[in-house]
Amino acid sequence: MLRAVVLFGVMALLLRLSGLPARPGWRLVFGFFGGLGSLVVLNLLSPLTGMLFELNILTVAVSGALGLPGIGGLLIAHFILSH
């Protein structure tokens, strides 16, 4: 399953880099993988920050659909709910 997700992400990235016009459905796919990648990076930095995010469909959808403001919202929600 993980191999299929990684393969699909690589194919989406190659399509994006090819310069073909992106349809709205593909924009969601790019946002999904961008959000997933940013959450993985944040989780890799968790020993420094002390914040660990669960990688589920809700967190990836928020970060993928909203971009940087979505990640900021997740950070604020994590801070508020953990204290």
Side-chain angles (χ1 to χ4, degrees):
M1 177 68 179
L2 182 61
R3 285 183 183 182
V5 171
V6 170
L7 180 63
F8 188 72
V10 169
M11 288 178 14
L13 180 65
L14 289 175
L15 181 66
R16 175 69 179 202
L17 294 176
S18 70
L20 295 174
R23 294 187 176 136
W26 281 108
R27 288 179 194 237
L28 286 174
V29 170
F30 298 137
F32 175 82
F33 283 106
L36 179 65
S38 61
L39 286 175
V40 167
V41 168
L42 282 176
N43 283 342
L44 289 174
L45 295 174
S46 68
L48 300 174
T49 62
M51 290 190 251
L52 185 66
F53 291 98
E54 220 178 293
L55 294 178
N56 57 30
I57 192 69
L58 179 65
T59 57
V60 171
V62 166
S63 64
L66 299 177
L68 192 57
I71 293 173
L74 287 173
L75 289 170
I76 291 170
H78 184 275
F79 182 72
I80 290 172
L81 294 175
S82 67
H83 288 93

